[in-house]
C-alpha cells in the first residue's frame, strides 16, 4: 500500500524538483510517515499489537456514511443544486474534522522537531511532505465518503458527470486542507502551544456538536420545500461559500443552462483550491515549520486563575456533602481538578453535554406541535432521561487518560478499600458535569409542566443513578484515568452507544409504563432509594482483588 | 579565533507568551575549537537546551550570530546540518518503526547509501547490545534502549560536531562508559562535542572545557582546573554549587526533613 502510494508521486518527480523539493528526501520521509500510519497501535502498556485493517475499517465506515448521503442524491435532478451543495458541505466538514481530530499525528507531529529539524532537509521538502501526507489521509476520507454517491451519480446521470463530481470532491478536499491550515497558522501565530491545544480541543467539541445537530437537522431540511426552492436562484453570498462553487458549476453541466454565472463558479471551484495549494506551499512554508518548532518549547505562563480560591471552597463543600470517608473525599477533589483540565477527558465528554441539548431541541421543534399539546404530552420524560446520556459517557470515559501511567500512585497508597477512590471519582464527575445539566434541563421541565413533575424528576434522577451503578458494578473496577485509550476501545464505542441508547430507552419506557399504569412514582421512590443506597455502598466497598490495573 | 568550529556572538533568545516575554539567553559569546569536548552545564531552566537547539538549527528565531562548521546557522542552515549530529534530551523517536528502519531513515536523510547504512547500523546496534532487537518496533523498548538508538542516529553519518542534550539519561552503567569512551575517542579524531548535562562527574571526567550557564548568562568558562583555582572545592559538583550561588544545601535539606517529620 505504502509503495503504491509512493509510486503515484513518481511521475511528478520533475515537477516536485522544479518546485524546490529534494525528491529523495521527500520519498524517504513520506515512506516513514505512511509506514507509521499503517502501524497504528492499540492495546495498553507494552502489550501493543499492530492494528489490522485500521484503514479498511475506516474506509468502510466512511463508505456507509456516504451511502446515507447518496439517498439524497437519488432524489433526482429536480433539487440537484440543493443536494449537491449539502453533499459538498458534508465532504468539507468531514475533511476539516478529520484534520482537526488527527492534528497531533498528521499536522503537528512535534517529534519532527527533534528528528527532522536537525537534518539537512529544506523547509520546502518538509512542507511538501507534510501537505502530501495530510492530502493522502484526507483523500482516503473524502473518496470513501464519495464511493456510493459516485456510483449513484453514474447510474442517474452518466459517467461524465460522475467524473466531474469526483474532480470536485478532490478539489473540495484540497481547499478544505488549505482553509484548515490557514486557521491553524493564525492560531499558532497568536497563541502559545498549550493554549493552541486547548483551542483545538474546544473546536473539536464544537464541531462534534455541530455535526450532531446537522445530522439531526439534515433530514428535516431535505423535506423542507421552501428551503429547496430558495436554491432556485443564485444569490450574491453564494460566491463566498466554497460548497456552492462546486455545486453551482456542476448542476448546469448536468441540467443544462450553463451561463456566465456558472462559468464564474466553475473558475472559482478550480482556481481557489489550486491557489490555496500554491499559497500553502510557497508563502506559508517557512512560517509553518518555524511555528511548529515553537509549539513544544513549553509555556512560560504562570497565570493565576481568577476565583481559584472560591472554586476550591465550593469543591470542598460539595465533597463534604457527597462523600462518606476521607479517601472518598480526597478522590472526589482530585478527580474534580483533573477532569476540568484533562483534554482527552473533555474531548470525550463535553460533546455529550451539547448532544443532550441538540436532542431535546430537535424533539421539540419536530413537527408543528403547539405549546398546549406539549404540556398535554409526556415529553417531560424525555427531558428527565436524555441527560442520562452524559452519565453513561462519564462512566465509560473516566478510566482513560493520556497520562494513564500516573495511576501508579493508587497502587502505592495505603488505602484499605480502593472502592472509596473509584466511588469518589465517579461522584466528582457526576456532580461536576451531569447534575448541573440535569438541573438546567429540568428547570425547563418544571417551567413547562409545573411543580407537579418534581416527583417524576427526582424519581428519574434516582433511577438514572441506580442504573449507572448497575453498569459500574458490571464493568471491571478500574482506577480513574488509569487506562490508555486505544483504537480497539474506540471501535467498541458503537456497542457502548447501542447499550446506552437501549438503557436510556428502557428507563424512559419503564417510567412511562408506571405513568401509564397510574402508579404514583413517589410510592416506588423509597424502594429505588434503598436500591440506590445499597448499590452505591457495594461500589464504594470494592476490594483490592476486584481492581484491574494497567500500570 | 579564526579556526573555531563554533562561534557565537551576542546570542539572545526570548519566549513570548501573550503579552509577556521571557528572555532565556542573554548575549552569549563563545568560541569552540575542533576536537574540544565542551561540558555545557547549568541549573534547570538556565538555557542549556535552548542553546543546543539554536546551534542544531531547531530554533531559528534568535538574536545575535551563530556559526557552526564554518557556516552561518541563519543563512546556511542546511550546510550546518550536514556537519552536525544531534542527540535530544527526550527519547523522541518514531516508535512504530524498528531501530533499523529508523536508522535507515535518518541515514538516507543525510545522503548515505542504503547498503552502507545497513552495514553501519547493524554493527553499531551490536556494539550497543541492540542487535537482537534491530527489527523490533521501538514502542516496546525501555528508555535506555531508545536512548541508545538516539545516540546511534546522532553519529551514524559521521558528523564533525555532535550536540548532545542529556545523552546519558536512562542508560545503564556499561552503556554510560561506552558513550564516554566514544566521545573521548571522537574528540581525539578532531570531532567537536558539545555536551549538555546535569551529571557532573561525567562532565568533569570527559570535558576539556566547562561552560557554566545560569539564568541565560555564561558565568564560568574554562577547564576544571582553571575554574577551581583559588576556590575551596574538590569536585565539579561543589564548584557548580559555588558558581550558581546555591550553597545552602544542607540547610535546605534540614528544613525539608523538618517539614516531612512534622
Amino acid at each position: 500500500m505504502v509503495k503504491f502510494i509512493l509510486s503515484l508521486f513518481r511521475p511528478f518527480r520533475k515537477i516536485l524538483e522544479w518546485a524546490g523539493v529534494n525528491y529523495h528526501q521527500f520519498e524517504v520521509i513520506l515512506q516513514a510517515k505512511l509506514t507509521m500510519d499503517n502501524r497504528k497501535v492499540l492495546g495498553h502498556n507494552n502489550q501493543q499489537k499492530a492494528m489490522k485493517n485500521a484503514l479498511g475499517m475506516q474506509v468502510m465506515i466512511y463508505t456507509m456514511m456516504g451511502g446515507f448521503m447518496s439517498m439524497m442524491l437519488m432524489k433526482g435532478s429536480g433539487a440537484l443544486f440543493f443536494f449537491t451543495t449539502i453533499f459538498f458541505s458534508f465532504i468539507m466538514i468531514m475533511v476539516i474534522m478529520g484534520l482537526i481530530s488527527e492534528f497531533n499525528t498528521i499536522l503537528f507531529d512535534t517529534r519532527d522537531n527533534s528528528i527532522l529539524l536537525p537534518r539537512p532537509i529544506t523547509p520546502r521538502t518538509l512542507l511538501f511532505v507534510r501537505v502530501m501526507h495530510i492530502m493522502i489521509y484526507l483523500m482516503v476520507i473524502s473518496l470513501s465518503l464519495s464511493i456510493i454517491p459516485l456510483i449513484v451519480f453514474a447510474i442517474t446521470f452518466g459517467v461524465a458527470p460522475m467524473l466531474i463530481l469526483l474532480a470536485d470532491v478532490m478539489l473540495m478536499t484540497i481547499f478544505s486542507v488549505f482553509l484548515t491550515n490557514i486557521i491553524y497558522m493564525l492560531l499558532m501565530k497568536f497563541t502559545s502551544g498549550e493554549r493552541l491545544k486547548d483551542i483545538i480541543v474546544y473546536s473539536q467539541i464544537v464541531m462534534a456538536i455541530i455535526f450532531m445537530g446537522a445530522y439531526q437537522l439534515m433530514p428535516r431540511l431535505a423535506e423542507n420545500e421552501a428551503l429547496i426552492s430558495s436554491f432556485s436562484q443564485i444569490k450574491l453570498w453564494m460566491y463566498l461559500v466554497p460548497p456552492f462553487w462546486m455545486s453551482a458549476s456542476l448542476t448546469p453541466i448536468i441540467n443544462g443552462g450553463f451561463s456566465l454565472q456558472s462559468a464564474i463558479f466553475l473558475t472559482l471551484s478550480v482556481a481557489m483550491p489550486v491557489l490555496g495549494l500554491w499559497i500553502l506551499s510557497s508563502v506559508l512554508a517557512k512560517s509553518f515549520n518555524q511555528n511548529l518548532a515553537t509549539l513544544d518549547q513549553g509555556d512560560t505562563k504562570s497565570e493565576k486563575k481568577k476565583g481559584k480560591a472560591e472554586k476550591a471552597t465550593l469543591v470542598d463543600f460539595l465533597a463534604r456533602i457527597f462523600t462518606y470517608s476521607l479517601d472518598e473525599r480526597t478522590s472526589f477533589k482530585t478527580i474534580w481538578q483533573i477532569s476540568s483540565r484533562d483534554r482527552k477527558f473533555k474531548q470525550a465528554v463535553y460533546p455529550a453535554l451539547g448532544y443532550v441539548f441538540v436532542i431535546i431541541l430537535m424533539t421539540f421543534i419536530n413537527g408543528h406541535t403547539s405549546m398546549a399539546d406539549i404540556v398535554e404530552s409526556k415529553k417531560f420524560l424525555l427531558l428527565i432521561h436524555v441527560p442520562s446520556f452524559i452519565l453513561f459517557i462519564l462512566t465509560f470515559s473516566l478510566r482513560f487518560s493520556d497520562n494513564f501511567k500516573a495511576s501508579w500512585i493508587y497502587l502505592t497508597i495505603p488505602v484499605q478499600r480502593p472502592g472509596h477512590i473509584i466511588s469518589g471519582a465517579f461522584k466528582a464527575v457526576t456532580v461536576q458535569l451531569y447534575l448541573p445539566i440535569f438541573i438546567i434541563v429540568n428547570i425547563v421541565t418544571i417551567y413547562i409542566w409545573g411543580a407537579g413533575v418534581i416527583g417524576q424528576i427526582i424519581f428519574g434522577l434516582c433511577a438514572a443513578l441506580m442504573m449507572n451503578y448497575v453498569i459500574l458494578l458490571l464493568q471491571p473496577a478500574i482506577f480513574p484515568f488509569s487506562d490508555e485509550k486505544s483504537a480497539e476501545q474506540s471501535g467498541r464505542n458503537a456497542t457502548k452507544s447501542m447499550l446506552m441508547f437501549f438503557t436510556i430507552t428502557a428507563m424512559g419506557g419503564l417510567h412511562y409504563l408506571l405513568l401509564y399504569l397510574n402508579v404514583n412514582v413517589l410510592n416506588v421512590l423509597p424502594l429505588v432509594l434503598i436500591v440506590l443506597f445499597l448499590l452505591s455502598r457495594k461500589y464504594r466497598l470494592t476490594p483490592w482483588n476486584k481492581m484491574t490495573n494497567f500500570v | 579565533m579564526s579556526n573555531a568550529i563554533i562561534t557565537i556572538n551576542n546570542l539572545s533568545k526570548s519566549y513570548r507568551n501573550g503579552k509577556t516575554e521571557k528572555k532565556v539567553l542573554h548575549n552569549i559569546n563563545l568560541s569552540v575549537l575542533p576536537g574540544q569536548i565542551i561540558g555545557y552545564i547549568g541549573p534547570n531552566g538556565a538555557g542549556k537546551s535552548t542553546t543546543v537547539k539554536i546551534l542544531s538549527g531547531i530554533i531559528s528565531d534568535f538574536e545575535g550570530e551563530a556559526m557552526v562548521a564554518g557556516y552561518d546557522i541563519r543563512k546556511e542552515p542546511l550546510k550546518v546540518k550536514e556537519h552536525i549530529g544531534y542527540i535530544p534530551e527526550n527519547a523522541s523517536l518514531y516508535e512504530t518503526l524498528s531501530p533499523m528502519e529508523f536508522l535507515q531513515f535518518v541515514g538516507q536523510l543525510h545522503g548515505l547509501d542504503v547498503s552502507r547504512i545497513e552495514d553501519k547500523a547493524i554493527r553499531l546496534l551490536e556494539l550497543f547490545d541492540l542487535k537482537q532487537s534491530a527489527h523490533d518496533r521501538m514502542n516496546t523498548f525501555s528508555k535506555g534502549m531508545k536512548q541508545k538508538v538516539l545516540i546511534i542516529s546522532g553519529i551514524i553519518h559521521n558528523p564533525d560536531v555532535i550536540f548532545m542534550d542529556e545523552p546519558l539519561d536512562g542508560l545503564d552503567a556499561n552503556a554510560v562508559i561506552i558513550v564516554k569512551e566514544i566521545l573521548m575517542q571522537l574528540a581525539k579524531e578532531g570531532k567537536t562535542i558539545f555536551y549538555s548535562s546535569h551529571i557532573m562527574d561525567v562532565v568533569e571526567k570527559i570535558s576539556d572545557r566547562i561552560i557554566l550557564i545560569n539564568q541565560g548568562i555564561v558565568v564560568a568558562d574554562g577547564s576544571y582546573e582553571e575554574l577551581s583555582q583559588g576556590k575551596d572545592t574538590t569536585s565539579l559538583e561543589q564548584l557548580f554549587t559555588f558558581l550558581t550561588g546555591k550553597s545552602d544545601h544542607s540547610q535546605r535539606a534540614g528544613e525539608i526533613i523538618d517539614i516531612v517529620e512534622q
Side-chain angles (χ1 to χ4, degrees):
Chain A
M1 184 68 176
V2 173
K3 284 192 175 146
F4 168 73
I5 294 173
L6 289 175
S7 71
L8 296 176
F9 288 97
R10 264 168 224 148
F12 304 102
R13 180 179 181 141
K14 289 275 171 226
I15 299 172
L16 285 167
E17 283 174 346
W18 173 79
V21 171
N22 179 325
Y23 189 78
H24 174 67
Q25 288 183 337
F26 171 82
E27 211 171 51
V28 168
I29 305 170
L30 195 59
Q31 183 173 11
K33 294 266 177 197
L34 293 174
T35 307
M36 288 189 284
D37 288 349
N38 253 7
R39 292 180 186 171
K40 277 182 184 166
V41 161
L42 56 91
H44 17 74
N45 302 335
N46 293 331
Q47 301 145 4
Q48 290 166 334
K49 293 174 265 172
M51 174 94 174
K52 281 177 191 164
N53 298 323
L55 192 69
M57 271 294 281
Q58 202 175 12
V59 167
M60 214 171 74
I61 292 165
Y62 285 131
T63 307
M64 275 165 60
M65 287 173 82
F68 289 120
M69 282 303 297
S70 63
M71 285 177 197
M72 294 204 312
L73 291 173
M74 272 196 284
K75 295 204 171 194
S77 57
L80 189 68
F81 180 35
F82 174 74
F83 291 119
T84 47
T85 304
I86 298 278
F87 173 71
F88 288 121
S89 309
F90 179 64
I91 296 281
M92 188 170 156
I93 289 172
M94 289 304 288
V95 168
I96 292 175
M97 273 185 71
L99 202 47
I100 291 174
S101 61
E102 293 291 331
F103 77 98
N104 53 351
T105 50
I106 304 289
L107 202 57
F108 303 125
D109 190 348
T110 47
R111 290 174 305 178
D112 289 354
N113 286 339
S114 55
I115 297 172
L116 297 179
L117 291 190
R119 317 277 169 208
I121 309 163
T122 60
R124 183 61 58 88
T125 307
L126 209 52
L127 187 99
F128 264 78
V129 171
R130 205 163 268 152
V131 171
M132 289 308 151
H133 183 214
I134 294 167
M135 288 291 182
I136 292 163
Y137 177 78
L138 296 174
M139 283 292 174
V140 168
I141 295 181
S142 60
L143 291 177
S144 359
L145 281 169
S146 313
I147 293 170
I148 296 176
L150 284 169
I151 296 168
V152 171
F153 225 69
I155 295 166
T156 321
F157 304 109
V159 176
M162 183 271 279
L163 290 174
I164 301 169
L165 181 71
L166 176 65
D168 276 341
V169 166
M170 293 170 94
L171 288 166
M172 193 76 240
T173 309
I174 294 170
F175 189 75
S176 306
V177 172
F178 164 69
L179 212 64
T180 323
N181 270 275
I182 289 280
I183 296 167
Y184 273 136
M185 281 185 201
L186 285 173
L187 287 175
M188 283 158 89
K189 201 157 184 65
F190 297 110
T191 59
S192 62
E194 284 305 300
R195 211 165 289 173
L196 177 69
K197 286 173 196 162
D198 278 338
I199 291 172
I200 289 169
V201 168
Y202 285 119
S203 53
Q204 283 174 323
I205 292 163
V206 170
M207 287 294 279
I209 296 168
I210 290 174
F211 190 70
M212 174 76 176
Y215 178 75
Q216 294 281 332
L217 201 66
M218 230 150 50
R220 291 171 175 82
L221 290 183
E223 284 161 12
N224 190 325
E225 294 297 329
L227 184 75
I228 296 173
S229 64
S230 74
F231 275 63
S232 57
Q233 274 189 334
I234 298 289
K235 296 176 184 76
L236 209 58
W237 58 268
M238 291 181 179
Y239 288 96
L240 299 172
V241 184
F244 283 107
W245 304 340
M246 277 70 187
S247 55
S249 54
L250 178 70
T251 314
I253 293 173
I254 294 164
N255 289 347
F258 201 83
S259 61
L260 178 67
Q261 277 179 332
S262 322
I264 296 171
F265 277 114
L266 184 65
T267 312
L268 282 171
S269 71
V270 178
M272 292 305 279
V274 173
L275 187 71
L277 196 61
W278 179 78
I279 293 173
L280 200 64
S281 57
S282 51
V283 184
L284 306 172
K286 208 180 165 198
S287 61
F288 191 90
N289 289 334
Q290 213 165 26
N291 287 334
L292 187 67
T294 58
L295 249 192
D296 66 344
Q297 280 167 24
D299 282 350
T300 49
K301 66 171 176 183
S302 56
E303 263 178 55
K304 281 185 184 160
K305 295 252 160 72
K306 281 181 188 172
K308 203 176 171 184
E310 293 95 286
K311 212 174 175 183
T313 321
L314 174 72
V315 180
D316 227 32
F317 171 71
L318 292 170
R320 252 180 275 137
I321 291 179
F322 289 101
T323 59
Y324 287 87
S325 66
L326 184 64
D327 291 339
E328 201 183 12
R329 199 171 307 147
T330 311
S331 168
F332 184 100
K333 288 195 276 190
T334 313
I335 298 306
W336 181 292
Q337 283 166 337
I338 299 175
S339 60
S340 55
R341 292 171 201 173
D342 190 290
R343 288 194 192 98
K344 204 95 201 186
F345 183 75
K346 285 184 191 175
Q347 221 173 323
V349 171
Y350 283 21
L353 311 184
Y355 293 167
V356 166
F357 289 107
V358 170
I359 294 169
I360 291 170
L361 213 66
M362 288 304 158
T363 318
F364 280 90
I365 63 166
N366 194 12
H368 306 281
T369 328
S370 70
M371 199 59 196
D373 290 339
I374 289 176
V375 174
E376 280 302 305
S377 75
K378 292 196 166 42
K379 279 192 175 173
F380 61 83
L381 287 177
L382 197 83
L383 275 78
I384 294 172
H385 291 287
V386 166
S388 308
F389 187 53
I390 299 168
L391 204 55
F392 298 136
I393 295 263
L394 289 173
T395 308
F396 293 131
S397 312
L398 190 57
R399 61 188 278 185
F400 299 115
S401 173
D402 277 349
N403 295 320
F404 66 99
K405 283 182 180 166
S407 60
W408 60 266
I409 194 85
Y410 300 118
L411 306 178
T412 59
I413 46 172
V415 171
Q416 198 114 38
R417 289 274 178 183
H420 287 255
I421 305 288
I422 54 175
S423 170
F426 169 68
K427 285 176 180 175
V429 289
T430 304
V431 175
Q432 187 183 36
L433 297 161
Y434 168 70
L435 272 189
I437 302 286
F438 184 85
I439 291 167
I440 292 169
V441 168
N442 285 293
I443 285 173
V444 178
T445 315
I446 295 168
Y447 178 75
I448 298 174
W449 280 275
V453 290
I454 291 177
Q456 309 292 341
I457 293 170
I458 295 171
F459 175 79
L461 175 68
C462 294
L465 291 170
M466 187 183 79
M467 207 63 199
N468 205 62
Y469 271 114
V470 171
I471 294 175
L472 281 171
L473 287 163
L474 289 174
Q475 286 195 117
I478 297 164
F479 284 116
F481 304 119
S482 64
D483 192 10
E484 186 184 18
K485 189 152 191 168
S486 67
E488 184 188 32
Q489 281 144 350
S490 304
R492 287 184 198 146
N493 277 350
T495 327
K496 284 176 181 169
S497 306
M498 291 283 282
L499 181 72
M500 262 192 302
F501 184 74
F502 175 76
T503 316
I504 296 169
T505 315
M507 273 189 333
L510 208 69
H511 196 159
Y512 183 81
L513 189 70
L514 290 174
L515 288 180
Y516 182 78
L517 296 173
N518 278 326
V519 176
N520 187 351
V521 290
L522 291 176
N523 293 335
V524 192
L525 193 59
L527 179 72
V528 174
L529 281 172
I530 292 169
V531 177
L532 177 61
F533 171 75
L534 292 173
L535 288 171
S536 67
R537 188 172 177 276
K538 186 169 169 54
Y539 189 59
R540 202 172 60 253
L541 296 178
T542 306
W544 275 106
N545 59 8
K546 295 275 182 205
M547 295 303 298
T548 311
N549 74 74
F550 298 114
V551 178
Chain B
M1 270 183 249
S2 58
N3 60 343
I5 195 147
I6 302 171
T7 314
I8 302 172
N9 290 321
N10 296 319
L11 183 70
S12 295
K13 167 73 189 163
S14 307
Y15 288 120
R16 181 174 277 281
N17 179 43
K19 285 173 189 167
T20 55
E21 199 174 82
K22 189 184 176 195
K23 202 161 189 175
V24 290
L25 293 178
H26 300 262
N27 299 315
I28 291 186
N29 292 290
L30 285 177
S31 187
V32 178
L33 294 172
Q36 279 191 326
I37 301 181
I38 306 295
Y40 197 59
I41 58 173
N44 292 333
K48 303 186 297 294
S49 293
T50 304
T51 315
V52 171
K53 282 179 180 170
I54 289 172
L55 295 175
S56 311
I58 295 172
I59 297 174
S60 54
D61 56 329
F62 58 88
E63 290 164 56
E65 280 178 13
M67 302 275 290
V68 178
Y71 301 100
D72 188 324
I73 186 82
R74 197 180 268 127
K75 289 178 190 154
E76 293 178 280
L78 293 191
K79 286 282 178 198
V80 170
K81 289 172 187 182
E82 282 171 11
H83 291 84
I84 64 161
Y86 171 67
I87 299 162
E89 187 179 4
N90 302 315
S92 214
L93 291 159
Y94 294 142
E95 294 181 2
T96 44
L97 300 181
S98 69
M100 189 51 99
E101 286 171 330
F102 185 71
L103 295 173
Q104 280 281 2
F105 169 70
V106 169
Q108 286 188 67
L109 291 179
H110 279 283
L112 299 184
D113 179 64
V114 176
S115 59
R116 201 168 140 225
I117 304 167
E118 191 160 342
D119 177 48
K120 284 176 94 169
I122 204 71
R123 285 192 288 154
L124 288 167
L125 287 168
E126 187 171 8
L127 289 167
F128 275 96
D129 297 324
L130 281 177
K131 194 183 173 187
Q132 297 285 329
S133 315
H135 299 285
D136 295 343
R137 288 181 198 171
M138 294 185 284
N139 47 20
T140 56
F141 281 18
S142 70
K143 193 177 177 187
M145 288 164 85
K146 287 177 194 167
Q147 198 60 30
K148 287 176 183 176
V149 178
L150 270 184
I151 291 172
I152 299 172
S153 77
I155 59 175
I156 194 167
H157 54 287
N158 192 22
D160 296 323
V161 185
I162 303 165
F163 292 102
M164 299 177 135
D165 201 349
E166 296 291 357
L168 306 182
D169 210 15
L171 293 187
D172 57 59
N174 287 328
V176 170
I177 295 167
I178 291 175
V179 174
K180 280 197 294 192
E181 281 300 320
I182 292 170
L183 297 182
M184 286 192 284
Q185 288 184 31
L186 284 173
K188 273 183 199 157
E189 287 171 18
K191 310 281 184 197
T192 308
I193 318 287
F194 199 92
Y195 182 98
S196 165
S197 181
H198 293 290
I199 309 170
M200 295 297 147
D201 62 330
V202 177
V203 175
E204 186 182 329
K205 277 178 194 136
I206 66 165
S207 310
D208 37 35
R209 182 175 160 199
I210 294 163
I211 298 169
L212 196 148
I213 179 172
N214 193 16
Q215 294 180 346
I217 298 164
V218 174
V219 291
D221 185 351
S223 66
Y224 172 65
E225 289 73 28
E226 285 168 353
L227 295 179
S228 56
Q229 219 167 39
K231 294 175 188 87
D232 187 21
T233 55
T234 54
S235 67
L236 182 61
E237 198 172 73
Q238 284 181 6
L239 186 66
F240 180 87
T241 299
F242 177 82
L243 291 169
T244 51
K246 298 256 168 79
S247 52
D248 56 343
H249 295 111
S250 58
Q251 189 194 329
R252 280 203 208 190
E255 285 172 17
I256 290 168
I257 290 168
D258 282 347
I259 295 169
V260 170
E261 288 176 349
Q262 268 169 19

